[in-house]
Amino acid sequence: MSKTFGNAFSKNKTFALSLTVLVIAFFAVILAGIAEKQPRYQHITGRLLDERMRLIGQWVSENQREDGSFPYLYDPDKNEYSSKDYAIRQILAVQGFFAVGKTLRDESILSAAARGEAYLMNDMYREDPRRGFAYIFDTYHKDIRLGAAAVAILMLREGKANPAPLSREERYLGEFILSMQRDNGGFQTFLQETPTQRDEQFYSGEALAALALLSHATSDPRYERALQKGLHYYRNILAADFLPPYAPWHMMAYAIAYRDAPKEEYAAYIFFLADTLIETMLTADEEARGDEIGRFYNPRRPEWGLPHSASTGIYTEGLTYAYEVAVLRGDPERMERYREAIFSGTRSLLSVQWTRKTARGILHPARVVGAFRRTTVRTDTRIDQLGHAANALARVRHVMFE
């Protein structure tokens, strides 16, 4: 080969290589632009959510006991059931089963939920005629919690066709919640002689959500007044020191109230909670691996709560209520922001649901298929993980795909 020919060949080879690199770069930019325009969660469809909710129904069918109750916690690694129990979490799960059954129009799931409701109410509902209210007595913890009465109202409302008049039980439980609200708008969270705010970050919002549902079902002005008092009290507290666990239930409460009374202060509070929740618990989670994105965790503030699918479920559900208010107010920027967060949370939930495929190798797959692991690495399944996920998936299916 001559020196001249060799130089020409080398130049042509260099030119061809450069041209190839340019072509690859050009198509990479085009594909990146196409990918950017594609929805990040296009694999999450109404059909997929229906399939996953049917798995929840399968778990309900396989695991409900003859008396209507459900196991509280199962560890598939040890093949052990826990002897512990928790009234609020059991009630919340039955509410979720009602929501899934109604969404799928599945009478077998609705029937199972009704049996679960009957068991819980027979076991825990107590009336106090002297004080004119009723409460839920947690037979495991031997105490009376504000949150238990509140989620019982949510369960009873979910189990009825809409609209439906208030039952005796709902009215009496409502009286209990009203009696537990302090003059400043806050709540006494346990029925006891000494003042306490223990678990207020959960029970206050559950109580406000129950009051919003009661207000929607009746013309009794006391419920609306209680909501107003709660708004003024908790808005000031969270503006000074935001604590994420307050956010989902409070968003739910005031979004329900907004449907009947579209007040500016309700919308402003909902948007403050949703925007701050996304900023502090989704955007700030820089340690999440690919399969953990959407888990609602801030590694710099572990005291706000460690990763847990029950938390992912309630945060996702709460944001669907904020999304509805953004739609009603014609706020496209927030609609998109909340939509992204909702689908991120939904993706995280679906990634920890036991399926027939992921349950291969489990000694008793029927005990887990349809339920939800605690995290991507913790395999235990607790009843509230299932309940929160059921409520969240039913809400996402309704709000985002109907």
Side-chain angles (χ1 to χ4, degrees):
M1 182 184 295
S2 70
K3 185 176 181 181
T4 302
F5 180 77
N7 290 339
F9 177 78
S10 177
K11 289 179 181 179
N12 287 338
K13 185 177 180 181
T14 302
F15 174 76
L17 182 61
S18 300
L19 183 61
T20 301
V21 170
L22 286 172
V23 169
I24 292 172
F26 172 77
F27 281 105
V29 170
I30 295 296
L31 292 173
I34 293 173
E36 186 176 347
K37 293 178 181 178
Q38 293 292 323
R40 290 182 59 190
Y41 306 107
Q42 65 266 33
H43 66 287
I44 300 176
T45 62
R47 183 175 180 177
L48 174 63
L49 295 181
D50 288 347
E51 291 173 358
R52 294 307 190 89
M53 285 190 287
R54 279 192 283 270
L55 286 182
I56 293 175
Q58 180 180 325
W59 185 92
V60 170
S61 175
E62 293 283 354
N63 290 275
Q64 188 170 34
R65 302 180 181 120
E66 289 187 8
D67 62 3
S69 65
F70 293 96
Y72 174 65
L73 186 149
Y74 176 68
D75 186 339
D77 290 341
K78 299 178 181 178
N79 188 30
E80 289 180 356
Y81 285 106
S82 171
S83 61
K84 296 180 179 180
D85 210 348
Y86 206 123
I88 293 176
R89 293 167 179 170
Q90 291 282 1
I91 296 168
L92 183 96
V94 171
Q95 182 213 350
F97 301 153
F98 273 125
V100 166
K102 289 165 71 173
T103 301
L104 296 176
R105 297 179 175 87
D106 188 314
E107 290 299 326
S108 65
I109 299 175
L110 291 172
S111 177
R115 293 196 302 274
E117 177 189 287
Y119 170 81
L120 292 169
M121 294 296 286
N122 289 335
D123 187 49
M124 302 180 189
Y125 177 80
R126 307 281 192 274
E127 290 189 2
D128 187 335
R130 183 178 63 84
R131 289 186 281 190
F133 58 59
Y135 51 81
I136 300 297
F137 180 71
D138 189 319
T139 52
Y140 180 82
H141 292 100
K142 309 299 182 187
D143 56 26
I144 301 167
R145 306 182 182 214
L146 173 71
V151 296
I153 290 173
L154 270 60
M155 175 187 69
L156 293 167
R157 285 279 90 193
E158 194 73 57
K160 292 179 172 60
N162 293 323
L166 294 180
S167 66
R168 174 189 176 90
E169 292 82 2
E170 289 168 324
R171 287 187 289 105
Y172 271 55
L173 290 169
E175 293 299 325
F176 173 73
I177 293 174
L178 290 172
S179 75
M180 297 289 277
Q181 189 173 37
R182 300 190 178 100
D183 290 339
N184 63 6
F187 287 95
Q188 168 81 4
T189 52
F190 286 73
L191 185 61
Q192 60 187 43
E193 293 297 327
T194 56
T196 181
Q197 294 176 296
R198 176 185 160 198
D199 291 331
E200 187 180 26
Q201 68 270 33
F202 310 114
Y203 299 168
S204 63
E206 292 165 354
L208 291 166
L211 291 171
L213 287 175
L214 295 173
S215 180
H216 179 71
T218 182
S219 58
D220 189 334
R222 295 179 302 158
Y223 301 129
E224 169 66 18
R225 287 199 295 267
L227 286 164
Q228 283 285 317
K229 287 168 60 178
L231 172 69
H232 297 151
Y233 178 76
Y234 289 106
R235 180 178 58 191
N236 292 335
I237 286 179
L238 295 180
D241 184 16
F242 181 76
L243 188 61
Y246 279 96
W249 290 107
H250 283 240
M251 287 190 287
M252 185 187 307
Y254 289 99
I256 294 169
Y258 186 86
R259 298 170 190 168
D260 296 322
K263 298 180 179 181
E264 183 69 28
E265 60 180 348
Y266 288 173
Y269 185 49
I270 293 163
F271 291 158
F272 160 71
L273 293 171
D275 293 343
T276 312
L277 175 65
I278 291 169
E279 179 184 350
T280 58
M281 295 294 277
L282 277 181
T283 307
D285 189 4
E286 299 171 352
E287 295 182 2
R289 301 191 305 268
D291 60 347
E292 294 174 330
I293 294 172
R295 62 185 177 170
F296 289 91
Y297 174 61
N298 189 326
R300 292 187 296 277
R301 299 297 299 270
E303 71 274 15
W304 284 352
L306 297 175
H308 201 297
S309 61
S311 300
T312 304
I314 185 57
Y315 285 134
T316 301
E317 181 188 3
L319 285 169
T320 65
Y321 286 90
Y323 178 86
E324 282 186 320
V325 175
V327 170
L328 290 172
R329 294 180 63 85
D331 190 331
E333 182 179 338
R334 282 194 167 93
M335 286 167 59
E336 180 57 30
R337 186 185 312 151
Y338 300 165
R339 180 186 183 279
E340 177 79 7
I342 289 164
F343 280 118
S344 181
T346 302
R347 176 190 175 279
S348 178
L349 282 176
L350 297 179
S351 73
V352 295
Q353 186 181 26
W354 286 103
T355 65
R356 297 176 187 87
K357 181 178 180 180
T358 57
R360 291 174 184 169
I362 297 295
L363 184 61
H364 297 287
R367 297 179 182 178
V368 298
V369 171
F372 292 76
R373 302 192 298 275
R374 185 189 305 196
T375 67
T376 55
V377 295
R378 297 287 299 273
T379 63
D380 52 311
T381 65
R382 203 172 68 189
I383 193 68
D384 60 318
Q385 293 160 206
L386 186 55
H388 279 304
N391 278 308
L393 296 185
R395 280 287 301 173
V396 174
R397 180 67 173 88
H398 170 67
V399 174
M400 310 307 295
F401 294 101
E402 292 182 7

